[in-house]
Amino acid sequence: MRVALLNLIGLLLLAGCQPKEVVIPDSQQQAWWKEAIVYQIYPRSFQDSNGDGVGDLQGIIDRLDYIESLGINTIWLNPIYPSPNADNGYDVSDYRGIAPEFGDMETFDRLLDELHKRGIKLIMDVVVNHSSDEHPWFIASRSDVHSPYRDYYHWWPASKGTPPYRYSLFDAQGDAWKYDSITDAYYLHYFADKQPDLNWENPALRQEVYDLMKFWAQKGVDGFRLDAFQFAAKDTAFPELPQGYEKNFIQYYAMQPGLHDYLKEMNQQVFAPYGVVSVAEGAGRSFEEAHELVDADRQELQMAYAFDGVDVAKYDGYSLATLKQVFTDWDRSFAEKGWLSIFLSNHDQARLVSRYGNDSPEFRVASIKLLNTFLLTMRGTPYVYYGDELGMTNLGMDRIEEYQDVAAVNGYAKATYNGEDLDQYMKVLAKTSRENGRTPMQWTADTLAGFTTGIPWMKINPNTAFINVQDQVADPSSPLNHFKSLTQLRKKNPVLVYGAYELLAEDHPQVYAYTRTLGEVSCLVVLNFSDKTARWAPIGLSLGEQPWINSADQLIQEGKELIVREKKGEDKRYVYYKIQA
């Protein structure tokens, strides 16, 4: 029996034959967006170039050498449009402009040009389930019931009585209808009351959206991510919904009739003519609905961005068995058709290593290496959130006064209104708030983290003193350099992009193991998700003699036994192997 001794959190075994030409099966037609490694940038927090404490486009330009050095080839940029910032840019007041705090259109054009010179593509966030209440469309819509913009939004005349209850994710009382006295009517907002929902039944509104997307496509943007778009179609009769439906609101809000018609129309007018990639936030309520969104013959979107994986981790932790099942089930469903996004973090989540790993000093480095290894060895397009290449952690704010996010502030107000235990609410918030994932990028060890010379818009995590780019660049065994090795490995080995996935050790309580196979090339990935030594016997697999990357203190292969040892107290590491054919 061949035994792999997994001393600590992260042993990775990758295996393959000697490099040879690989034939990609017809079922996995090659495309740049399948081979992309997406790096998500939250612009407000990435790099401030002018000392106002807010990250900006020039700051991104100034850091392009770093971005290129990561080995990524695509950037997803969170919204940079003018906005009142009720939801940090996800309430857009001008879809064709640049927010002054981020720069101007000339700077954006220069950023796009510099990215393309480096072979890096740009995906823009498009927020068109809703707009800002300060957008000219809404200002005109609310001003007069006869305005041509009235039907750009959803209105319920007060003369008809109180509208049927609709749940709002961000409202302080959970009510998605907001009364507006100007025309004695209620408007709909699934999110904050400053984010009124757009009426996609209106063809004039749809054409406005397609035209604004063409504006950016004509500039050379390479793709669009459609924020909250699975909620765009609505039953405008607004029938009563079952009591308590908000506990499972996705079943009633997502993928309503008409959505596919809108996406096909968008594809015909924007995606296909301009050759841009498209991905929607959310992937429906089932595998079948996900395929209806992204299968090539549907001519709608191209990448499914499903939340099941990122939602596994909760306040009180998660089950490795559940994580395995979720990713395995999604891969199995997409094995022959369609394409997935692979991610465990984004701007709406707390930090990756604090949610899915162990951010204690003893295990933080090992944890983030393991998690990035997972992301970059799965089938699907990996999305990596800024700072996760370093292992940036939660900030963990204890007082509600420290929070700016509308979800946190209004959530606290809602908890107060409902008479909840506010101490418990704050404990959960400190660990799970998405503000944890929005702290400024940690470039250096100084108190301002190299992010700004002014007062930062958000508190900088004090652990920038020992978690920062400058230190990790100089450390060959750092999470940053491990991440760079992974991106190069993925780009050089098509098996890690297109190879079939097979789960191994399904019932092992500590180990997540799987193979990736493409033609005659096969690789094995073994990850110990626990903080204890794990043993697993990879029966039937023949390990090659030389590792692709070996960062263990000792690697010993004695006959059929493989042993990896680490020095006590040092970082937990990973090993990559080739398997002999």
Side-chain angles (χ1 to χ4, degrees), residues 327-400:
F327 278 95
T328 300
D329 287 350
W330 274 98
D331 185 272
R332 184 179 296 118
S333 177
F334 278 72
E336 301 297 330
K337 203 173 184 182
W339 194 254
L340 293 171
S341 304
I342 299 295
F343 66 103
L344 285 174
S345 59
N346 58 33
H347 62 288
D348 282 333
Q349 308 295 332
R351 275 291 169 186
L352 173 61
V353 72
S354 298
R355 296 186 75 225
Y356 282 91
N358 182 333
D359 62 7
S360 69
E362 185 180 5
F363 293 111
R364 178 185 56 80
V365 169
S367 291
I368 197 60
K369 287 183 177 181
L370 175 143
L371 293 165
N372 282 328
T373 295
F374 171 73
L375 292 171
L376 289 164
T377 57
M378 286 290 286
R379 179 167 54 184
T381 298
Y383 285 68
V384 180
Y385 190 54
Y386 85 97
D388 283 345
E389 72 273 26
L390 307 176
M392 284 176 58
T393 69
N394 279 359
L395 181 59
M397 298 180 289
D398 297 324
R399 297 179 299 108
I400 193 61

Side-chain angles (χ1 to χ4, degrees), residues 29-188:
Q29 294 183 354
Q30 291 179 267
W32 73 260
W33 43 270
K34 293 180 180 180
E35 298 170 14
I37 301 172
V38 182
Y39 186 67
Q40 182 186 351
I41 292 179
Y42 197 69
R44 185 173 299 274
S45 295
F46 196 66
Q47 179 65 66
D48 171 22
S49 70
N50 60 8
D52 66 357
V54 177
D56 48 46
L57 297 181
Q58 183 59 50
I60 298 174
I61 293 173
D62 293 343
R63 294 294 186 178
L64 282 178
D65 285 348
Y66 171 79
I67 292 169
E68 183 178 22
S69 77
L70 294 176
I72 62 90
N73 49 25
T74 305
I75 283 177
W76 160 19
L77 194 59
N78 287 104
I80 55 173
Y81 317 103
S83 167
N85 287 314
D87 187 18
N88 276 10
Y90 282 89
D91 49 318
V92 179
S93 57
D94 177 4
Y95 288 102
R96 287 182 171 85
I98 302 294
E101 64 265 34
F102 294 142
D104 54 29
M105 193 61 74
E106 181 181 353
T107 309
F108 172 82
D109 291 340
R110 188 164 65 254
L111 170 62
L112 183 60
D113 183 57
E114 290 296 327
L115 286 171
H116 285 167
K117 285 180 181 177
R118 295 166 185 262
I120 299 173
K121 298 185 183 294
L122 179 65
I123 295 175
M124 294 277 284
D125 232 325
V126 177
V127 189
V128 289
N129 171 72
H130 50 267
S131 76
S132 167
D133 66 344
E134 297 183 31
H135 193 288
W137 297 342
F138 188 75
I139 293 172
S141 181
R142 79 191 307 180
S143 66
D144 185 347
V145 295
H146 301 296
S147 166
Y149 293 96
R150 184 67 171 184
D151 290 337
Y152 275 38
Y153 299 86
H154 298 281
W155 291 95
W156 182 279
S159 60
K160 293 173 60 176
T162 303
Y165 172 66
R166 288 296 182 270
Y167 168 70
S168 168
L169 281 77
F170 291 168
D171 188 76
Q173 297 182 14
D175 189 351
W177 291 105
K178 171 80 171 181
Y179 177 71
D180 191 68
S181 62
I182 297 175
T183 57
D184 191 31
Y186 299 84
Y187 67 85
L188 185 71

Side-chain angles (χ1 to χ4, degrees), residues 167-438:
Y167 168 70
S168 168
L169 281 77
F170 291 168
D171 188 76
Q173 297 182 14
D175 189 351
W177 291 105
K178 171 80 171 181
Y179 177 71
D180 191 68
S181 62
I182 297 175
T183 57
D184 191 31
Y186 299 84
Y187 67 85
L188 185 71
H189 60 95
Y190 277 178
F191 294 89
D193 60 10
K194 288 185 68 64
Q195 296 170 287
D197 282 33
L198 293 164
N199 179 11
W200 274 80
E201 281 194 357
N202 186 338
L205 178 278
R206 296 202 302 274
Q207 193 59 53
E208 292 263 23
V209 172
Y210 306 150
D211 289 346
L212 70 89
M213 295 176 75
K214 292 175 187 177
F215 170 82
W216 294 103
Q218 288 165 3
K219 280 185 167 291
V221 165
D222 302 287
F224 297 103
R225 179 255 190 192
L226 302 179
D227 179 72
F229 198 76
Q230 64 176 343
F231 299 150
K234 298 171 176 70
D235 182 345
T236 54
F238 296 107
E240 294 283 354
L241 297 178
Q243 186 174 1
Y245 84 91
E246 62 271 19
K247 295 177 181 178
N248 194 19
F249 70 92
I250 292 291
Q251 295 299 319
Y252 298 89
Y253 281 13
M255 307 297 293
Q256 297 302 299
L259 188 74
H260 292 296
D261 295 332
Y262 306 152
L263 286 172
K264 289 180 186 297
E265 190 175 58
M266 188 182 293
N267 186 301
Q268 292 167 2
Q269 291 209 32
V270 183
F271 304 150
Y274 291 94
V276 292
V277 70
S278 55
V279 55
E281 181 185 27
R285 300 162 296 186
S286 65
F287 298 137
E288 180 182 3
E289 288 187 344
H291 278 287
E292 289 172 352
L293 285 171
V294 302
D295 285 357
D297 56 4
R298 298 283 301 179
Q299 297 185 6
E300 296 184 25
L301 302 173
Q302 289 160 311
M303 265 194 280
Y305 191 89
F307 290 122
D308 293 26
V310 78
D311 285 345
V312 168
K314 306 297 183 185
Y315 168 69
D316 54 357
Y318 68 96
S319 160
L320 178 59
T322 301
L323 187 73
K324 293 181 191 180
Q325 180 180 356
V326 166
F327 278 95
T328 300
D329 287 350
W330 274 98
D331 185 272
R332 184 179 296 118
S333 177
F334 278 72
E336 301 297 330
K337 203 173 184 182
W339 194 254
L340 293 171
S341 304
I342 299 295
F343 66 103
L344 285 174
S345 59
N346 58 33
H347 62 288
D348 282 333
Q349 308 295 332
R351 275 291 169 186
L352 173 61
V353 72
S354 298
R355 296 186 75 225
Y356 282 91
N358 182 333
D359 62 7
S360 69
E362 185 180 5
F363 293 111
R364 178 185 56 80
V365 169
S367 291
I368 197 60
K369 287 183 177 181
L370 175 143
L371 293 165
N372 282 328
T373 295
F374 171 73
L375 292 171
L376 289 164
T377 57
M378 286 290 286
R379 179 167 54 184
T381 298
Y383 285 68
V384 180
Y385 190 54
Y386 85 97
D388 283 345
E389 72 273 26
L390 307 176
M392 284 176 58
T393 69
N394 279 359
L395 181 59
M397 298 180 289
D398 297 324
R399 297 179 299 108
I400 193 61
E401 292 79 11
E402 298 179 86
Y403 289 83
Q404 303 179 46
D405 179 29
V406 63
V409 174
N410 283 3
Y412 185 86
K414 183 179 178 182
T416 303
Y417 178 80
N418 292 334
E420 297 178 24
D421 182 338
L422 296 182
D423 288 339
Q424 180 63 20
Y425 178 87
M426 289 307 303
K427 288 179 182 178
V428 174
L429 189 67
K431 186 172 182 179
T432 64
S433 171
R434 60 186 186 172
E435 280 198 73
N436 285 303
R438 299 178 177 185

